[in-house]
Amino acid sequence: MASYARFSQFIRSPTLTLLYAGDMLRHKEPRYLGHNPLGAVMVVLLLLMVGGIALTGWMQTTDAYWGVEWVEETHEALAELLLVAIALHVVGVIHVSLRHHENLVLAMITGRKRAPAGGDIL
């Protein structure tokens, strides 16, 4: 079984991520069997935002932070940013699906993608 969901496999350096973003803008990005570098950034951002929403939501239930304005504002801002990030993620999935002619949603459900070709990155 492949380990494409492990952080050690899909977290890329900032340099590689920026190079991938440039390649994507030029429509020359390589196909990844796991998460591409921008997808990895999105996974980390989504996890951090959900964690922040959970933390600030919990903080609002405590005596120390009940009614504290910055906690409420942070909670609301993270929730709104999460909606934007989700929309960007969906756009990214659609873009990559069209660019590489594969159904990424189906691949997420089944865990299967077509075999790698010459320019693909495992």
Side-chain angles (χ1 to χ4, degrees):
M1 181 175 175
S3 57
Y4 297 113
R6 294 179 186 218
F7 284 107
S8 61
Q9 187 279 333
F10 72 85
I11 299 295
R12 308 290 181 182
S13 72
T15 301
L16 183 64
T17 302
L18 290 173
L19 288 171
Y20 178 83
D23 287 346
M24 190 180 81
L25 290 173
R26 290 185 296 281
H27 299 288
K28 295 180 184 225
E29 76 276 12
R31 176 178 171 256
Y32 280 75
L33 288 185
H35 288 87
N36 65 50
L38 289 177
V41 169
M42 183 57 73
V43 167
V44 172
L45 286 175
L46 290 169
L47 289 172
L48 288 172
M49 282 187 270
V50 169
I53 290 167
L55 176 64
T56 55
W58 169 79
M59 288 171 69
Q60 292 180 74
T61 68
T62 66
D63 290 337
Y65 294 100
W66 176 265
V68 174
E69 191 171 334
W70 73 264
V71 176
E72 292 176 17
E73 289 174 359
T74 302
H75 185 76
E76 290 174 14
L78 286 171
E80 291 171 5
L81 284 172
L82 180 63
L83 294 175
V84 172
I86 290 168
L88 287 173
H89 184 65
V90 169
V91 168
V93 167
I94 292 168
H95 173 78
V96 172
S97 291
L98 294 172
R99 284 280 302 130
H100 297 292
H101 307 288
E102 63 187 333
N103 186 339
L104 286 184
V105 174
L106 183 62
M108 286 182 236
I109 293 168
T110 65
R112 297 173 189 255
K113 285 176 112 177
R114 71 176 190 273
D120 293 347
I121 298 176
L122 301 175

